[in-house]
Amino acid sequence: MTVAEATQAEFDPQKAWKAVKQNRSAGQLDAALALAETLATRVPTEFRYQLSAAELLGMLGRLPEAEPYLDRARQVGTDDDKALEVLERLRIQFLQLKGRTDEAIAVQQALADRVPGDFRFQYNTAEMLVGAGKAEAAGAYLERARAAGAPDEKG
C-alpha cells in the first residue's frame, strides 16, 4: 500500500497497518514512516499508530520531529506495559536531544520506580543522575540495581 492509496476515501487502517509492518520488516523505513504518519493522523486515538510514527522517526535519526506523536501516544495510553516502556524510552531520548535533562531524568525515575526489580532501569537512572551531577541521588538507584542483579548474573 502506498501513501496515495492510504489517503483515498476507502482508507482501511488494518491494511495500512499491515503495510507499515511489512515495510518496516523489509527495511523500507521511509515508506513505513509515511504510512505510519498517515495512520497516526487519520486515527489519532490508536496508540500503536502514534508510537510507530515516533519509533520510525527515531530509527531514521529524526526523533526531534516525533513530539506530536509522543504526546498523542501519552494522551491515548495503553495497557501494554512493554509498549509503554518503549514510549517512555523514546520520550527520554527526545527530551535529552532537546536539552530538557531534568524532564528526561524525571521520566527515567518514574520508569525505574514503576519497575523497581529491573536492573537496567535502575542502572540507567543512576547513570543519568550521575551525568547530571546528582551523584547523591543516584545512590538509591545503584542500590536497587545491585539488589536486582545484573542480567548476566541471573543466568
Side-chain angles (χ1 to χ4, degrees):
M1 172 178 282
T2 66
V3 175
E5 292 169 334
T7 57
Q8 297 302 317
E10 61 272 353
F11 175 73
D12 183 345
Q14 291 176 333
K15 285 182 184 176
W17 180 241
K18 183 177 179 182
V20 167
K21 294 189 295 184
Q22 288 171 338
N23 284 325
R24 185 174 173 163
S25 293
Q28 298 172 344
L29 301 182
D30 287 319
L33 174 60
L35 287 168
E37 287 182 315
T38 298
L39 278 165
T41 301
R42 295 201 57 178
V43 190
T45 57
E46 180 62 51
F47 177 88
R48 65 184 170 169
Y49 301 159
Q50 306 306 319
L51 181 61
S52 182
E55 276 186 299
L56 287 160
L57 282 165
M59 293 169 74
L60 289 165
R62 296 170 46 195
L63 190 58
E65 298 172 42
E67 186 168 23
Y69 303 113
L70 293 170
D71 288 346
R72 264 187 264 153
R74 286 185 66 219
Q75 290 169 1
V76 171
T78 182
D79 292 333
D80 182 340
D81 287 340
K82 288 196 180 285
L84 283 174
E85 289 172 15
V86 170
L87 172 63
E88 294 305 283
R89 286 196 311 269
L90 283 170
R91 282 188 61 228
I92 291 163
Q93 290 173 16
F94 170 80
L95 292 167
Q96 288 175 316
L97 283 172
K98 291 291 189 173
R100 294 160 52 185
T101 306
D102 288 341
E103 289 176 72
I105 289 172
V107 173
Q108 181 66 44
Q109 285 177 304
L111 185 58
D113 292 345
R114 193 167 60 234
V115 191
D118 188 297
F119 172 85
R120 177 177 44 121
F121 295 149
Q122 305 313 312
Y123 185 81
N124 289 346
T125 304
E127 192 172 54
M128 283 181 75
L129 287 164
V130 168
K134 300 177 181 183
E136 190 172 316
Y141 292 98
L142 283 173
E143 182 55 36
R144 286 179 12 186
R146 187 195 62 72
D152 60 348
E153 292 177 7
K154 293 185 173 191

